[in-house]
């Protein structure tokens, strides 16, 4: 799981793809503050050459002025781009969801929930999970966005976009193992990460 790369260098991440079945990217490969995404697109392309790669957009993608261009380039990388859609992968269903009010694609959750088998959902914002998805019939939702709370005081994050100060959903497992939040692989803002290293996650699905 590689979330929140934010258009930063990624060479150190590629060796981590060795031996995995798939690379899951739950959003924010780009940097909306600089309106840049070339490194993020290159990351998807490099991962897709190594392993099946699944990408769902985050808020930094949605807020790109050239959103359509960005998503078109993402589709050309060989990665599976999941904007309110889902696909089969071995014994799993893998979907990507974003608030339908923010994207042009219709909501697919009812059809996704109706599929038989294990369902894994990429949803960038953990607050979306809390508001819209917590009661859905999905086995695991993977999120990012919160950057681990940016500064961590013990196990508590200080601030997260969308949750503000002392957020609840910033990193690790929540809701009895139904939600996994990555603290992210990059840092798009001027505030440093403290007691909160960047991360990529290795997920084993039994």
């Amino acid at each position: 799981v590689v979330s929140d790369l934010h258009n930063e260098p990624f060479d150190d991440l590629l060796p981590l793809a060795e031996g995995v079945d798939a690379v899951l990217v739950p959003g924010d490969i780009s940097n909306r503050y600089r309106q840049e995404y070339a490194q993020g697109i290159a990351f998807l392309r490099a991962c897709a050459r190594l392993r099946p790669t699944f990408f769902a957009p985050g808020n930094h993608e949605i807020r790109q002025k050239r959103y359509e261009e960005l998503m078109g380039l993402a589709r050309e990388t060989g990665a599976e781009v999941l904007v309110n859609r889902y696909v089969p992968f071995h014994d799993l269903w893998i979907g990507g969801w974003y608030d339908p009010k923010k994207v042009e694609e219709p909501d697919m959750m009812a059809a996704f929930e109706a599929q038989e088998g294990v369902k894994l959902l990429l949803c960038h914002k953990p607050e979306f999970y809390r508001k819209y998805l917590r009661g859905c019939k999905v086995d695991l939702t993977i999120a990012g966005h919160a950057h681990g709370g940016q500064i961590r005081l013990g196990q508590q994050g200080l601030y997260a976009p969308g949750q503000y100060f002392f957020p609840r959903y910033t990193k690790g497992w929540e809701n009895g193992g139904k939600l996994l939040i990555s603290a992210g692989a990059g840092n798009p803002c001027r505030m440093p990460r403290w007691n909160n290293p960047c991360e990529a996650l290795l997920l084993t699905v039994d």
Side-chain angles (χ1 to χ4, degrees), residues 35-37 61 64-71:
Q35 290 291 299
E36 295 174 346
Y37 46 77
E61 282 74 66
Q64 289 286 336
K65 295 177 181 178
R66 294 179 291 172
Y67 169 78
E68 295 296 339
E69 176 183 291
L70 163 60
M71 298 306 289

Side-chain angles (χ1 to χ4, degrees), residues 126 144-153 155-161 163-171 181-184 187 189 191-197:
H145 185 59
H147 302 158
Q150 198 68 33
I151 293 172
R152 294 187 69 82
L153 307 173
Q155 298 301 310
Q156 174 66 57
L158 180 63
Y159 180 88
Q163 299 180 70
Y164 309 109
F165 287 100
F166 300 106
R168 175 176 175 181
Y169 298 110
T170 60
K171 181 177 180 178
I181 307 165
S182 169
N187 183 30
C189 65
M191 181 184 296
R193 296 173 63 124
W194 185 75
N195 196 32
N196 177 33

Side-chain angles (χ1 to χ4, degrees), residues 52-91:
T53 298
F54 300 84
F55 164 64
N59 61 297
H60 277 247
E61 282 74 66
I62 301 301
R63 298 183 70 174
Q64 289 286 336
K65 295 177 181 178
R66 294 179 291 172
Y67 169 78
E68 295 296 339
E69 176 183 291
L70 163 60
M71 298 306 289
L73 291 171
R75 292 183 178 95
E76 292 174 2
T77 63
E80 193 74 63
V81 178
L82 302 173
V83 187
N84 288 4
R85 58 185 292 265
Y86 57 90
V87 293
F89 180 66
H90 297 310
D91 296 330

Side-chain angles (χ1 to χ4, degrees), residues 5 7-11 13-14 25 29-30 36-50 53 70 73-74 76-79:
L5 180 64
N7 204 54
E8 295 184 0
F10 56 85
D11 289 347
L13 295 172
L14 296 182
V25 186
I29 60 169
S30 65
E36 295 174 346
Y37 46 77
Q39 286 283 335
I41 292 297
F43 170 71
L44 289 184
R45 184 179 297 110
C47 287
R49 288 171 177 166
L50 294 172
T53 298
L70 163 60
L73 291 171
E76 292 174 2
T77 63

Side-chain angles (χ1 to χ4, degrees), residues 68-144:
E68 295 296 339
E69 176 183 291
L70 163 60
M71 298 306 289
L73 291 171
R75 292 183 178 95
E76 292 174 2
T77 63
E80 193 74 63
V81 178
L82 302 173
V83 187
N84 288 4
R85 58 185 292 265
Y86 57 90
V87 293
F89 180 66
H90 297 310
D91 296 330
L92 305 173
W93 291 95
I94 300 179
W97 188 88
Y98 204 91
D99 184 352
K101 296 188 294 294
K102 305 292 185 180
V103 295
E104 295 182 358
E105 301 297 330
D107 198 340
M108 58 38 146
M109 282 305 300
F112 186 53
E113 289 182 86
Q115 298 299 323
E116 294 186 2
V118 176
K119 294 177 283 290
L120 189 156
L121 183 68
L122 305 180
C123 173
H124 180 67
K125 293 186 175 184
E127 60 266 31
F128 278 177
Y129 176 85
R130 178 178 59 187
K131 186 175 181 179
Y132 300 114
L133 304 174
R134 183 160 46 186
C136 292
K137 296 177 182 178
V138 174
D139 296 283
L140 176 62
T141 300
I142 299 176

